[in-house]
Amino acid sequence: MEAKLTIQERFKDLRVVDRGLSLEQLAEQTGLSKSALGKYESEDFKDISPFAIVTLAKFYGVSTDYLLGLTENKNPANAELQALHLRDDAVDAIRDGKYNKRLLSELLVHDKFQQLMVDAEVYVDRIADSRINDMNAMLEAVRQQIIQQYATEDGDLHTRTLALAQIQTAEYFKQVLSDDLIGILSDIREAHKQDATTADEESTAEAVSEYLQTAMSYEGSPQEKQARVYLAGLGIDYGAISKEEFVTLIGILQKSKKLKIKQANQRGKKRRKYEIIKD
């Protein structure tokens, strides 16, 4: 995520990065004093006169709101909207928050978005329709000629080939536009993979289901199998816990009113054997 610039950083960024000017040069071109301009970029900056803010906004070609840190858009709002040539209802839709603005921005700046818009324009304005229709008409004429000349059936291999070779405009562009859009969204989807708001690739239900299947297919002792199933129901991988943790877990489960844990000492061994029994 791009860091938001402070007011002082905006003044310095516009002067140094955008224009490549020294304080002396900026003072000469704007008529503002060098000392005042220096204060606007210093850490102890507190205030700026309305005259200075308007003068600098005009000089840099940015909005006063941008200089004051009220917006991240450098261009004045009116000039920006005029350059975009958006209809009023389109501007209202974007401003009213009807769309995910981040996703909309990513779509617009994607390097394949221009291709999508060109293909959409070709389809919407029927630019390719006449050529497709001409080609289809030629193929159909040849097909009919073969049927009449050779008295073939309509389902003949050659006549059927000529029929299938004819392009259905709507179906064709549906595939073209779908490929364009899915290509863009797949790239954006991949870029969002590490976002905190993006769902995990494997859902909790899927993980638990996988643990349960593994537990049920275990071929060890019934007690350990039961323990594996119980842990799987909690979404815990049996193989991820230590022996000490397992013993602690058994101790906790002994307090359950729904499960009975049978403990039996094995003769000649210090190790205890536990059995989990469902009521």
Side-chain angles (χ1 to χ4, degrees), residues 18-32:
D18 285 15
R19 295 299 181 92
L21 299 174
S22 63
L23 286 172
E24 292 83 356
Q25 292 171 324
L26 181 61
E28 292 176 359
Q29 296 185 35
T30 61
L32 301 174

Side-chain angles (χ1 to χ4, degrees), residues 17-228:
V17 178
D18 285 15
R19 295 299 181 92
L21 299 174
S22 63
L23 286 172
E24 292 83 356
Q25 292 171 324
L26 181 61
E28 292 176 359
Q29 296 185 35
T30 61
L32 301 174
S33 68
K34 176 185 174 182
S35 60
L37 293 171
K39 288 181 180 179
Y40 302 154
E41 298 178 9
S42 65
E43 293 183 0
D44 60 350
F45 165 76
K46 296 181 180 180
D47 195 14
I48 182 173
S49 70
F51 174 77
I53 196 72
V54 171
T55 299
L56 290 171
K58 288 181 177 180
F59 177 77
Y60 289 125
V62 299
S63 66
T64 55
D65 283 350
Y66 176 76
L67 288 181
L68 295 174
L70 301 177
T71 179
E72 296 302 303
N73 296 321
K74 290 184 178 182
N75 297 327
N78 292 336
E80 183 179 353
L81 290 178
Q82 291 174 1
L84 291 176
H85 301 289
L86 292 175
R87 296 187 335 190
D88 291 341
D89 54 353
V91 174
D92 292 339
I94 297 173
R95 182 167 47 214
D96 294 343
K98 294 182 179 180
Y99 307 104
N100 182 320
K101 293 182 175 62
R102 176 193 175 188
L103 181 56
L104 181 59
S105 297
E106 289 175 308
L107 283 168
L108 293 173
V109 301
H110 195 280
D111 56 3
K112 298 176 184 175
F113 184 75
Q114 183 178 0
Q115 182 66 55
L116 171 63
M117 291 302 296
V118 169
D119 290 343
E121 184 179 357
V122 170
Y123 175 64
V124 171
D125 293 340
R126 304 173 184 270
I127 296 174
D129 284 24
S130 60
R131 295 184 180 180
I132 292 175
N133 291 336
D134 289 344
M135 182 181 66
N136 287 343
M138 181 182 68
L139 291 172
E140 181 61 21
V142 173
R143 192 177 75 87
Q144 291 298 333
Q145 183 179 1
I146 291 175
I147 292 175
Q148 293 176 9
Q149 184 174 349
Y150 297 100
T152 60
E153 296 181 359
D154 197 31
D156 175 75
L157 174 62
H158 301 292
T159 57
R160 184 59 177 163
T161 300
L162 290 171
L164 293 176
Q166 297 178 39
I167 297 175
Q168 302 303 315
T169 307
E171 291 299 320
Y172 173 72
F173 277 100
K174 181 191 297 185
Q175 186 63 51
V176 170
L177 294 173
S178 175
D179 289 345
D180 288 343
L181 184 57
I182 291 300
I184 295 172
L185 293 178
S186 295
D187 290 343
I188 296 175
R189 174 187 170 94
E190 186 65 24
H192 283 216
K193 196 173 182 179
Q194 302 302 323
D195 288 1
T197 56
T198 298
D200 295 334
E201 288 188 24
E202 184 180 36
S203 67
T204 302
E206 290 174 341
V208 171
S209 176
E210 183 179 344
Y211 289 152
L212 281 172
Q213 290 178 7
T214 302
M216 293 301 294
S217 62
Y218 180 70
E219 298 180 354
S221 67
Q223 295 78 23
E224 188 173 1
K225 182 175 182 178
Q226 182 64 56
R228 285 174 177 266

